[in-house]
Amino acid sequence: MSTVAAVQMISTPDVAENIATARRLVRDAAARGATLVTLPEYWPIMGMSDTDKVAHAEAPGQGPIQECMAQAAREHGIWLIGGTLPLVSPDAGRVMNTTLVYDPQGRPVHRYDKIHLFGFTRGAESYDEARTIVPGEAVVTFEAPFGRVGLSVCYDLRFPELYRAMGECALMVVTAAFTHTTGLAHWEVLLRARAIENQCYVLASAQGGTHQNGRRTFGHSMLIDPWGEVKAVLEEGEGIVSGALDPAFLAGVRESLPALKHRKL
């Protein structure tokens, strides 16, 4: 069995401060025996305004955010899924919201650019990611030692066709900064649905608390098994959730209820 872990943070507008926090929490996750660790969405910066991240956009392979992730993966000998960071885009006023995957040698080996961009308005609460982010286009999976891993980010969670397009995965990862409003209503039920309908483990890494910009994120980073049971959860605050992926249990779920083989459409 392989141990995986999700890091939960309450990121600030200070990139250096967030890097220090991420280093510490990844170290803690590795100390628990995790061989794959994921960071949350926007972990390097939760700015006072949405445009703050544009000033911190890095070119692929360059910059302190990517150096931090590469070093952490290499130092601890883990697969590191780097939440998201702002990467430069063809549009000078917007960034790519990008997940980079590092192998245990610290090499960037896979990249996923968030496809679905969040938009929500209710009263004074309003979000429009398309103003500062260029959407990605490609579905991304990769092979880890324990099986295929699918990558997704936050708002992607509401689009089950994305997860179907990943094929049969042992693990699907969701990195997020879900708002408290939408998280309270939908976060756990959507995560459990993705695990149940795809008969795989789901590891969700979230922002979880009240940030300096006044935004409150929902937290509840969790690991869910292929039967839809929550195996570990951290409600709010920074910290780690971890647990084991049991290949025999996964195979047993698919054998006893072969829903993936019964698909018609």
Side-chain angles (χ1 to χ4, degrees), residues 5 63 67 86 141 166 172 174 202 205 211 247 257:
E67 288 172 10
T141 65
M166 294 175 183
M172 291 175 172
V174 183
V202 169
S205 178
H211 302 262
L257 183 65

Side-chain angles (χ1 to χ4, degrees), residues 133-211:
I133 295 172
V134 176
E137 297 177 350
V139 179
V140 178
T141 65
F142 69 95
E143 293 298 326
F146 53 78
R148 181 184 293 174
V149 180
L151 300 175
S152 63
V153 178
C154 204
Y155 193 48
D156 283 338
L157 183 58
R158 296 181 182 274
F159 301 89
E161 63 272 20
L162 171 64
Y163 298 85
R164 282 296 200 217
M166 294 175 183
E168 291 190 14
C169 293
L171 175 68
M172 291 175 172
V173 171
V174 183
T175 69
F178 244 66
T179 71
H180 191 269
T181 301
T182 58
L184 191 63
H186 302 143
W187 172 248
E188 182 179 323
V189 69
L190 287 172
L191 287 169
R192 294 180 67 197
R194 299 296 86 86
I196 293 165
E197 70 200 7
N198 294 293
Q199 298 187 313
C200 68
Y201 286 90
V202 169
L203 180 66
S205 178
Q207 297 278 351
T210 302
H211 302 262

Side-chain angles (χ1 to χ4, degrees), residues 1-258:
M1 291 194 287
S2 300
T3 298
V4 298
V7 169
Q8 184 161 293
M9 292 175 59
I10 311 171
S11 293
T12 75
D14 187 328
V15 173
E17 180 181 338
N18 296 328
I19 285 176
T21 300
R23 287 187 193 278
R24 172 171 50 82
L25 292 172
V26 170
R27 182 175 66 245
D28 292 349
R32 295 190 188 188
T35 57
L36 179 146
V37 179
T38 181
L39 290 162
E41 184 183 27
Y42 296 138
W43 73 264
I45 181 168
M46 288 283 280
M48 298 306 291
S49 73
D50 286 346
T51 56
D52 288 1
K53 60 182 174 286
V54 178
H56 292 278
E58 296 184 353
Q62 302 174 26
I65 299 169
Q66 292 167 84
E67 288 172 10
C68 165
M69 292 188 290
Q71 183 180 7
R74 184 170 58 248
E75 179 181 343
H76 301 296
I78 57 172
W79 290 86
L80 181 64
I81 298 174
T84 68
L85 80 157
L87 283 188
V88 292
S89 79
D91 183 339
R94 297 190 294 167
V95 299
M96 310 301 298
N97 193 20
T98 298
T99 300
L100 295 176
V101 180
Y102 293 83
D103 71 11
Q105 288 73 47
R107 298 174 299 203
V109 287
H110 301 284
R111 169 179 172 170
Y112 169 66
D113 297 319
K114 183 179 182 181
I115 291 174
H116 301 97
L117 302 184
F118 182 53
F120 175 73
T121 301
R122 178 185 289 175
E125 189 176 10
S126 181
Y127 304 94
D128 181 8
E129 288 188 322
R131 291 192 298 110
T132 55
I133 295 172
V134 176
E137 297 177 350
V139 179
V140 178
T141 65
F142 69 95
E143 293 298 326
F146 53 78
R148 181 184 293 174
V149 180
L151 300 175
S152 63
V153 178
C154 204
Y155 193 48
D156 283 338
L157 183 58
R158 296 181 182 274
F159 301 89
E161 63 272 20
L162 171 64
Y163 298 85
R164 282 296 200 217
M166 294 175 183
E168 291 190 14
C169 293
L171 175 68
M172 291 175 172
V173 171
V174 183
T175 69
F178 244 66
T179 71
H180 191 269
T181 301
T182 58
L184 191 63
H186 302 143
W187 172 248
E188 182 179 323
V189 69
L190 287 172
L191 287 169
R192 294 180 67 197
R194 299 296 86 86
I196 293 165
E197 70 200 7
N198 294 293
Q199 298 187 313
C200 68
Y201 286 90
V202 169
L203 180 66
S205 178
Q207 297 278 351
T210 302
H211 302 262
Q212 288 182 26
N213 59 15
R215 178 174 174 178
R216 186 180 179 190
T217 47
F218 186 61
H220 291 75
S221 296
M222 62 180 73
L223 176 66
I224 304 166
D225 74 16
W227 194 245
E229 182 179 349
V230 177
K231 306 303 289 185
V233 63
L234 175 61
E235 292 187 359
E236 246 185 337
E238 68 175 40
I240 307 292
V241 295
S242 63
L245 307 186
D246 184 344
F249 180 78
L250 185 149
V253 168
R254 293 180 176 181
E255 183 179 355
S256 64
L257 183 65

